[in-house]
Amino acid sequence: MIVCSCNVLSDRDVRETVTARSDRPSVASVFRSMGCEAKCGRCVRSIVAIVDQHSAARLDECGGNSDCDSCRADGLAA
Ligand code: FES
């Protein structure tokens, strides 16, 4: 399904981009990773939802024993 009609980006394109990253990217960062930028902004909520879904799924994978990137980042920030 196309989520960004201005840049012709599908939800699959966005998911693949987000999955390839180890951080929780901003929408602007997602666009930059895909070699484009936001134009009208109508897709922002959809992209945020995809990023949120990906982040929630990654948290589910973490056992809380400092093995994931998120736990390591939290440890470095503390
Ligand atoms: S629909 Fe994505 S910038 Fe317009």
Side-chain angles (χ1 to χ4, degrees):
M1 175 179 77
I2 298 295
V3 293
C4 177
S5 55
C6 293
N7 292 300
V8 193
L9 303 176
S10 70
D11 59 330
R12 176 182 283 186
D13 296 330
V14 175
R15 276 183 225 291
E16 287 174 359
T17 298
V18 172
T19 299
R21 299 179 57 127
S22 60
D23 60 348
R24 185 187 190 289
S26 66
V27 172
S29 180
V30 171
F31 276 115
R32 278 194 301 274
S33 294
M34 301 177 84
C36 56
E37 62 185 22
K39 294 178 181 162
C40 75
R42 282 181 298 172
C43 59
V44 169
R45 293 175 83 182
S46 298
I47 292 174
V48 168
I50 292 170
V51 170
D52 286 347
Q53 287 172 352
H54 178 73
S55 296
R58 206 161 51 199
L59 283 177
D60 287 345
E61 294 171 3
C62 175
N65 52 6
S66 302
D67 288 343
C68 73
D69 290 340
S70 180
C71 289
R72 282 192 288 274
D74 288 347
L76 290 173

